[in-house]
Amino acid sequence: MADSVSSPSGQQDEGETRRDFLLVTTATVGVVGVALAAWPFIHSMNPAADTLAVATTGVDLAPIDPGQRITVMWRGKPVFISHRTEAEIEAARAAALGDLMHPEPDDARVVEPQWLVVVGVCTHLGCIPLGQRSGDPRGEYQGWFCPCHGSHYDTSGRIRRGPAPTNLEVPPYEFVDDTTIQIG
Amino acid sequence: MAEYTWKSPTVRWVDERMPVFTLMREHLVDYPSPKNLNYWWNFGSLAGIVLVIMIVTGIFLAMHYTAHVDHAFESVQRIMRDVNYGWLVRYIHMNGASFFFIVVYIHIFRGLYYGSYKPPRELLWMIGVIILLVMMATAFTGYVLPWGQMSFWGATVITSLFSAIPLVGDDIVVWLWGGFSVDNPTLNRFFALHYLMPFIIFALVFLHLWALHTKKSNNPLGIDIKGPQDTIPFSPYYTIKDLFGLGVLLIFFLGFSFFAPDFFGEPDNYMKADPLQTPAHIVPEWYFLPFYAILRAFTFDIWFLSAKLLGVIAMFGSILILLFLPWLDRSPVRSGRFRPVFKVFFWLFVLNCFVLGVVGGNPAEGFWIPLSQASTAYYFGYFLVILPLLGIFEKPLALPSSISEAVVSKGHSPVPEAAE
């Protein structure tokens, strides 16, 4: 192989020449090199270390009465925390999975049943659903109602009617102690 | 070059409607280049590549930079510590400035030695001088952005130069600052201009290439291309030679960026700008040192001209004089190879530029002052006295009759390689 590539007669007999080989290897090394060099630039647009360092939010749940909802900021987005009443928990559990647009049982969406924690961003096009403040419309299922395109969420933050494709996202969180959670 | 038929139907479809592929082929592949270009001819394309690297790294830095006196320094430190690979992007940009000037200065000295500024390439040369000026303005405004001590005091000193202009000087300085000292308005406009000017350079590079490809490349013999036997196509011969040169450049450029990233920098610039405290010894970046030396060489008034004004005129004049070079050097022989006397003065000129650089980096006191004055005198004397006189009195060596004859008859080395 090496002989035929380097001998002049071999160059004419075969379709491939030493120059073709050099061209292809050079181009390959060039393309791989540019691709590798591009990575630091692409990665520089990802969240920086200081941005990631403030990516968790701690919340004290003690002052929230049953039936109350509060909004906290986590990674620049609102997180809805709902201290659910027995009736609300019951309503969330009563829904038959077959009736849901995005079937998820309520206990898969909560750690402690009285606390529902969801990202308050409508999964349709990113608006903030209403229902946090008393007097807000809460939609047909007493959860949240998105005013942009009319999505109705239930007391488990699940989509029940409207254009949103999925339930409100449950952020990763854990209980640090009985009345404090850390989101993120 | 015969009409070329593109194989790909898509390429042909575009090319019939807008002959962009034909244009690229004409200028990047078929372009008839002198057979005898040596490695000093690599530096034009290298400068173009460094410009692209600077623009790319600069755009990514701008995504993280904040042009405000309260945040600029911190945002740069954030780039260095927190942004993914931010240290790498910034170090490439920082060292890229130095290597841009290294490459461009070699490119200019090559033109000076081989007479690339002589007819018919005067306009090509003059566009190059304008590119150098815009480059310097870009480098200066860029150096201010990190808002370190040297950024701030460098900006203060250089903008204050304009106060030397009679009558309107002080008003001009206030206008440049947008206030009564270098402050937030100054930083904002410097950022805007620093982002703008590279694209002006990019456009000027196209004019530079247009002029080059109209009159074709000069060559180490400095004689005209007489026919196809004197040329080879740009691709693959010079594309591959330029690529090899790029590899060598990147070894040094990235070597410094990775292993000695602050070699060219000033430690003072890692201290945040403090308008109440001037560093003990203000120096510009190394690539401005020769001009800084010329600025400070004038310690005496001449007639009604103050020393300050003379220094400013001389500093700008030291670059602007290059615009007139095609008419100052009247020797009909382009290449320094065939000019035995010119050659001596040329290498003295190169040495003198290094001396000016060393002088510019040292405090203006004692022995350095007369040295700066002698070097400044030689700098201007070279252009205003030596070159015009050599055009009259120097007897050049006999020129070869053609490029191909010189290449073929003497093998790889047509003449003793004094310049290389």
Side-chain angles (χ1 to χ4, degrees):
Chain A
M1 175 68 192
D3 280 345
S4 69
V5 165
S6 57
S7 77
S9 61
Q11 280 180 21
Q12 271 142 25
D13 293 341
E14 296 168 31
E16 295 169 22
T17 63
R18 187 184 170 86
R19 177 169 287 176
D20 288 334
F21 173 75
L22 288 172
L23 190 66
V24 170
T25 45
T26 307
T28 307
V29 169
V31 168
V32 171
V34 168
L36 290 174
W39 172 246
F41 292 90
I42 296 166
H43 192 42
S44 74
M45 293 171 72
N46 274 326
D50 63 328
T51 310
L52 293 175
V54 292
T56 59
T57 303
V59 187
D60 180 13
L61 302 176
I64 310 169
D65 292 329
Q68 253 189 342
R69 294 172 175 183
I70 66 154
T71 305
V72 296
M73 289 300 283
W74 172 68
R75 295 189 180 172
K77 288 181 289 194
V79 168
F80 295 165
I81 298 175
S82 169
H83 193 167
R84 301 193 293 184
T85 59
E86 285 303 320
E88 284 175 325
I89 297 170
E90 214 40 55
R93 285 179 172 167
L97 281 187
D99 296 341
L100 299 176
M101 296 164 69
H102 177 192
E104 270 183 321
D106 182 61
D107 55 3
R109 293 176 54 78
V110 291
V111 177
E112 300 287 337
Q114 68 269 38
W115 297 106
L116 177 75
V117 182
V118 288
V119 176
V121 175
C122 180
T123 58
H124 179 222
L125 291 171
C127 295
I128 311 294
L130 298 172
Q132 286 297 93
R133 271 175 297 200
S134 53
D136 274 357
R138 291 189 167 187
E140 210 170 300
Y141 296 87
Q142 294 309 307
W144 289 270
F145 171 71
C146 182
C148 291
H149 303 94
S151 291
H152 298 254
Y153 296 93
D154 66 12
T155 54
S156 189
R158 293 174 297 197
I159 179 67
R160 301 298 289 269
R161 208 172 67 140
T166 58
N167 299 335
L168 292 179
E169 184 194 345
V170 178
Y173 68 95
E174 59 186 17
F175 278 83
V176 182
D177 56 50
D178 284 352
T179 57
T180 311
I181 58 168
Q182 176 165 301
I183 306 172
Chain B
M1 304 308 132
E3 273 304 290
Y4 183 83
T5 313
W6 295 94
K7 288 190 198 81
S8 153
T10 315
V11 170
R12 207 182 315 133
W13 187 91
V14 173
D15 204 69
E16 276 167 12
R17 284 154 184 81
M18 180 181 66
V20 59
F21 293 101
T22 297
L23 188 81
M24 289 198 302
R25 191 181 167 82
E26 198 181 315
H27 291 285
L28 298 174
V29 179
D30 291 337
Y31 175 65
S33 323
K35 276 178 175 176
N36 58 336
L37 298 186
N38 58 29
Y39 274 110
W40 298 111
W41 261 262
N42 277 45
F43 289 87
S45 75
L46 290 180
I49 292 166
V50 177
L51 173 64
V52 171
I53 292 175
M54 292 303 279
I55 290 178
V56 170
T57 50
I59 288 171
F60 279 87
L61 287 174
M63 293 179 190
H64 302 286
Y65 174 73
T66 308
H68 188 285
V69 290
D70 292 339
H71 304 290
F73 185 84
E74 285 78 1
S75 74
V76 172
Q77 293 312 308
R78 180 175 174 271
I79 289 170
M80 298 299 288
R81 292 153 198 264
D82 287 339
V83 173
N84 304 313
Y85 291 109
W87 57 272
L88 178 64
V89 179
R90 175 160 182 256
Y91 276 150
I92 291 177
H93 198 72
M94 257 172 75
N95 287 277
S98 282
F99 276 87
F100 204 178
F101 277 98
I102 291 173
V103 165
V104 162
Y105 283 155
I106 294 174
H107 185 61
I108 292 170
F109 280 124
R110 189 270 286 159
L112 287 173
Y113 182 79
Y114 291 109
S116 299
Y117 49 83
K118 292 189 183 183
R121 299 186 185 82
E122 307 96 312
L123 187 61
L124 168 61
W125 172 263
M126 291 163 79
I127 295 168
V129 177
I130 305 293
I131 292 175
L132 175 64
L133 279 171
V134 184
M135 239 181 96
M136 290 174 146
T138 309
F140 167 62
T141 50
Y143 193 64
V144 177
L145 302 185
W147 209 243
Q149 275 289 66
M150 279 296 172
S151 298
F152 181 87
W153 292 101
T156 301
V157 169
I158 300 298
T159 49
S160 296
L161 290 179
F162 292 89
S163 69
I165 299 168
L167 302 176
V168 292
D170 289 329
D171 294 328
I172 286 178
V173 173
V174 169
W175 177 76
L176 285 173
W177 287 340
F180 303 98
S181 65
V182 173
D183 208 335
N184 202 44
T186 327
L187 180 60
N188 266 296
R189 63 189 60 184
F190 275 27
F191 183 47
L193 293 172
H194 184 70
Y195 208 119
L196 165 71
M197 286 186 290
F199 296 94
I200 292 176
I201 296 177
F202 205 76
L204 288 170
V205 166
F206 272 89
L207 296 184
H208 198 59
L209 286 174
W210 189 5
L212 173 72
H213 283 221
T214 303
K215 287 300 170 188
K216 303 288 183 280
S217 308
N218 187 26
N219 65 82
L221 296 173
I223 57 179
D224 290 330
I225 295 169
K226 297 208 169 69
Q229 72 281 3
D230 288 344
T231 66
I232 45 177
F234 187 76
S235 197
Y237 297 103
Y238 288 116
T239 40
I240 207 69
K241 188 167 180 169
D242 283 349
L243 266 181
F244 175 74
L246 175 64
V248 175
L249 175 77
L250 287 180
I251 288 173
F252 288 101
F253 178 4
L254 296 180
F256 274 101
S257 301
F258 294 160
F259 301 111
D262 290 310
F263 177 81
F264 295 106
E266 284 294 328
D268 277 19
N269 224 30
Y270 282 99
M271 291 189 280
K272 189 176 175 176
D274 181 356
L276 298 178
Q277 189 162 11
T278 309
H281 182 210
I282 299 185
V283 280
E285 289 284 86
W286 70 266
Y287 38 80
F288 289 140
L289 289 177
F291 307 102
Y292 195 55
I294 291 174
L295 168 75
R296 297 186 308 180
F298 289 84
T299 51
F300 46 85
D301 299 350
I302 300 180
W303 303 313
F304 58 94
L305 298 169
S306 66
K308 182 177 171 183
L309 181 59
L310 282 169
V312 173
I313 292 172
M315 186 181 74
F316 286 105
S318 65
I319 295 165
L320 294 176
I321 199 170
L322 294 171
L323 289 172
F324 302 95
L325 178 58
W327 296 276
L328 292 169
D329 180 359
R330 303 308 300 249
S331 169
V333 175
R334 292 195 194 103
S335 174
R337 282 190 185 173
F338 305 103
R339 303 184 59 189
V341 187
F342 163 85
K343 209 183 265 184
V344 175
F345 286 109
F346 170 81
W347 288 111
L348 280 175
F349 178 76
V350 175
L351 177 69
N352 187 61
C353 287
F354 281 100
V355 172
L356 281 171
V358 174
V359 171
N362 279 286
E365 56 198 26
F367 150 80
W368 296 108
I369 293 173
L371 184 60
S372 74
Q373 289 165 346
S375 302
T376 302
Y378 184 77
Y379 184 96
F380 286 101
Y382 177 78
F383 292 112
L384 294 174
V385 180
I386 295 169
L387 287 183
L389 289 181
L390 283 183
I392 301 169
F393 295 109
E394 185 184 38
K395 190 167 158 42
L397 306 179
L399 294 173
S401 57
S402 79
I403 295 172
S404 65
E405 188 202 63
V407 171
V408 173
S409 68
K410 305 222 177 129
H412 291 297
S413 181
V415 286
E417 303 288 69
E420 293 135 32

